[in-house]
Amino acid sequence: MSGESLRVEDRGAFVLATLDRSEKRNAIDQDLVDALHALCARLEVERRTLVITGSGGTFAAGADIAQLRERRATDALKGINTRCFQRIRALPMPVIAVLDGYALGGGAELAYAADIRIGTPSLKIGNPETGLGIIAAAGATWRLKEIVGDALATEMLLTGRILGADEALAAGLVSTVVESHAALEHAASLAERIAALDPAATQATKRALLAPASAHPEIELAEQAVLFESPEKQRRMTEFLERRGAKRATEESR
């Protein structure tokens, strides 16, 4: 499944989606939003890990300003980017964003919707929306605080401060910084590691992570109750105990 603005590839352990509007620095327009919705519809059924990146050395330099300029109050209330990024955030399996170059405005908000963010040394990430007469309304005002804390999020959103890779790493906005040529390979290794785990347990963990504070600890207990009855839990724990027993027997025979 591929379109003019989004290239989608099946990589076995994961699905790779590449924002492909390099002539516009991968600015997020309506066509790209529509393509992301179509991808979400697929992944909500297939339940695969998603790795999302950008072409041409840029993740996404923002929303498409030409389209934004023409939008009015009724368009704002539709939450065009907001609803798309919410859907990405809610995907059942993890979403890994590879952030190379600019991740600004709507591009940053798309990155904030991911579960794991990998940066490259050229990363520039932030929300300069107020300089354009709008606010960061597609997730930054609530997700960024959860990621980097109130103080830094408030400064970034009110001043338009852009973080470089080292600052983003120190703030916990990205989990690691990898050279551009190796970043996708690193994301693939994480996706392959996830694929080796129990999908049901991974999905339960993500649901618990996304739940509001008021839902804890009840949500963990409910999720664990389901998993405790699963045949996969029995199989994996039995295999673990058998491996440990075999290892111990080998060590004792030496």
Side-chain angles (χ1 to χ4, degrees), residues 64-148:
D64 190 298
I65 303 303
Q67 286 191 2
L68 278 181
R69 186 180 61 178
E70 302 307 313
R71 290 177 182 169
R72 296 295 182 262
T74 54
D75 298 302
L77 294 174
K78 291 176 184 175
I80 294 170
N81 287 0
T82 301
R83 303 306 178 203
C84 178
F85 300 164
Q86 283 182 313
R87 196 171 182 184
I88 290 169
R89 182 66 170 156
L91 284 172
M93 288 291 283
V95 177
I96 303 170
V98 177
L99 308 177
D100 194 18
Y102 291 114
L104 302 176
E109 291 179 299
L110 173 56
Y112 304 156
D115 299 292
I116 299 171
R117 287 167 293 277
I118 299 167
T120 73
S122 65
L123 175 62
K124 300 292 182 184
I125 186 168
N127 293 91
E129 281 90 342
T130 52
L132 294 170
I134 59 174
I135 70 170
T141 56
W142 72 90
R143 287 199 186 100
L144 188 57
K145 291 192 300 181
E146 295 176 353
I147 299 168
V148 302

Side-chain angles (χ1 to χ4, degrees), residues 10-241:
D10 190 324
R11 293 291 184 93
F14 62 97
V15 171
L16 173 64
T18 304
L19 310 182
D20 197 16
R21 302 186 72 218
S22 55
E23 75 285 355
K24 299 287 188 180
R25 296 194 299 181
N26 301 325
I28 299 170
D29 66 351
Q30 185 65 60
D31 287 343
L32 186 51
V33 166
D34 292 343
L36 288 169
H37 273 298
L39 176 59
C40 285
R42 170 185 170 184
L43 294 178
E44 287 161 357
V45 174
E46 292 186 10
R47 300 187 171 228
R48 307 269 300 284
T49 293
L50 171 64
V51 175
I52 187 165
T53 188
S55 63
T58 295
F59 181 67
D64 190 298
I65 303 303
Q67 286 191 2
L68 278 181
R69 186 180 61 178
E70 302 307 313
R71 290 177 182 169
R72 296 295 182 262
T74 54
D75 298 302
L77 294 174
K78 291 176 184 175
I80 294 170
N81 287 0
T82 301
R83 303 306 178 203
C84 178
F85 300 164
Q86 283 182 313
R87 196 171 182 184
I88 290 169
R89 182 66 170 156
L91 284 172
M93 288 291 283
V95 177
I96 303 170
V98 177
L99 308 177
D100 194 18
Y102 291 114
L104 302 176
E109 291 179 299
L110 173 56
Y112 304 156
D115 299 292
I116 299 171
R117 287 167 293 277
I118 299 167
T120 73
S122 65
L123 175 62
K124 300 292 182 184
I125 186 168
N127 293 91
E129 281 90 342
T130 52
L132 294 170
I134 59 174
I135 70 170
T141 56
W142 72 90
R143 287 199 186 100
L144 188 57
K145 291 192 300 181
E146 295 176 353
I147 299 168
V148 302
D150 284 346
L152 182 56
T154 299
E155 180 185 341
M156 290 174 66
L157 293 171
L158 293 181
T159 70
R161 177 180 170 187
I162 307 300
L163 301 187
D166 290 343
E167 294 173 302
L169 180 61
L173 189 46
V174 296
S175 59
T176 189
V177 174
V178 182
E179 291 295 333
S180 296
H181 69 272
L184 185 55
E185 181 180 348
H186 182 68
S189 70
L190 292 179
E192 288 164 0
R193 182 170 180 175
I194 291 167
L197 307 176
D198 177 21
T202 298
Q203 291 168 44
T205 299
K206 180 167 178 175
R207 286 192 295 270
L209 283 168
L210 294 182
S214 60
H216 301 281
E218 285 75 15
I219 186 171
E220 285 89 358
L221 303 181
E223 295 284 2
Q224 194 77 302
V226 173
L227 293 171
F228 270 17
E229 298 295 330
S230 73
E232 185 65 8
K233 171 247 191 181
Q234 292 296 123
R235 184 187 71 80
R236 285 175 178 262
M237 289 192 175
T238 298
E239 286 186 355
F240 173 84
L241 292 172

